Amino acid sequence: MTAKPESSNIKQWFRKRFNKWLNQRIPASHKQSLGNKNIFIVPTKFGYAYVFSVLILFLLGTNYQNNLIILMSYLFASVFLTSMMYSFFNLSRLQFIFNSKVTAYATQTVTIPLSIISKKPRFNISFVFEDNEKAYADMINSGESEINIPFQALTRGVNNPGRLKISSEYAFGLFVCWTHLDFACEVLTYPEKKVFNHIKQDVSDLHEELNGNTISEGGDDFGELRQYKQGESNAQIAWKQLARGQGWLTKTTQQELGSTIWLTLQQLPAAPIETKLEMLCFLILDHHKSNIPFGLELDNLQISPSTGSLHLKNCLQALALYGKGQSYSSFNVEAKH
């Protein structure tokens, strides 16, 4: 005998078919508008019970030839139909725009901003990505507004949150009006943020052994003034020189360090590759916090030693995409030759 398919397999099969149908009917786009083609509406459980009650009321009025009861059933039926129209028009002609770049650390829950454009007030609308927390908007005013939708980025790399379910049971809770929209949004996910204090000294000793002690940027003693680089901390800007009209300059400090700090996978203790990337992530954040110039080398990618938020962003992006075979529009590093 052939075994019957499990309920979970049936759900997966149905979900796959449903998503394929949605991709054809509602294609992915950064900008979406709601209308007849992408809004679905069905009665809620309360709505079905309401219809059943109206039907019973109508049958009783007909059976006993009581015009008052029949009139009441007509009145309740008209409320049901009116509620359906209000539910539909509460979502109809809403516009949504996703135009942000979202980054996160693995297992971290982030919020994805979504712009909403409406020509009239809307009420009681919920937003949710599959298997994530809901975001609620009790009222959306006319004009442009924004809502932040939670999403948990579980794995390193470029994560697609999938389709966003937008639904509302306004008004009276008799109908649920909903849609599934794909905004083609991507969440660039860095390695999980963990603390590895035990490798901090090991890496420092390794650089000292390879390069010896020399003077480098970082520490407490004043070093020199150099041209300002975009993304550097405001605390490093030479404000006095700027006020004198000498232009944008950066104050550097000095400390004893290896001549050039390179962070690589080879200098880390034996561990699974994901753990090594988490260690590199910790070292990168630690060097950035201490304002110590460092470079990153990952196989055929090499990011020159530097400091600042832009350098930090490039290094973390390199870790996020390492070994994934994925691309990201804002990722830009130098190839090693």
Side-chain angles (χ1 to χ4, degrees), residues 54 82 112 133 135 142 184 192 199 214 221 226 262 287 292:
V54 172
T82 303
I112 297 180
E133 297 179 10
S142 58
E192 186 175 353
I199 68 168
T214 59
D221 300 327
R226 58 173 171 79
W262 286 96
H287 282 69
I292 300 174

Side-chain angles (χ1 to χ4, degrees), residues 213-221 223 252-261 291-294:
N213 291 334
T214 59
I215 299 298
S216 182
E217 292 185 13
D220 300 321
D221 300 327
T252 61
T253 54
Q254 295 179 341
Q255 65 178 5
E256 289 190 354
L257 282 174
S259 58
T260 303
I261 295 180
N291 195 35
I292 300 174
F294 66 93

Side-chain angles (χ1 to χ4, degrees), residues 107-112 127-136 149-154 160-164:
T107 71
Q108 178 187 18
T109 298
V110 295
T111 55
I112 297 180
F127 304 80
V128 63
F129 290 108
E130 187 177 354
D131 299 328
N132 283 270
E133 297 179 10
K134 284 186 178 181
Y136 293 94
I149 307 161
F151 173 70
Q152 187 177 23
L154 294 175
N160 187 332
R163 288 188 175 269
L164 176 68

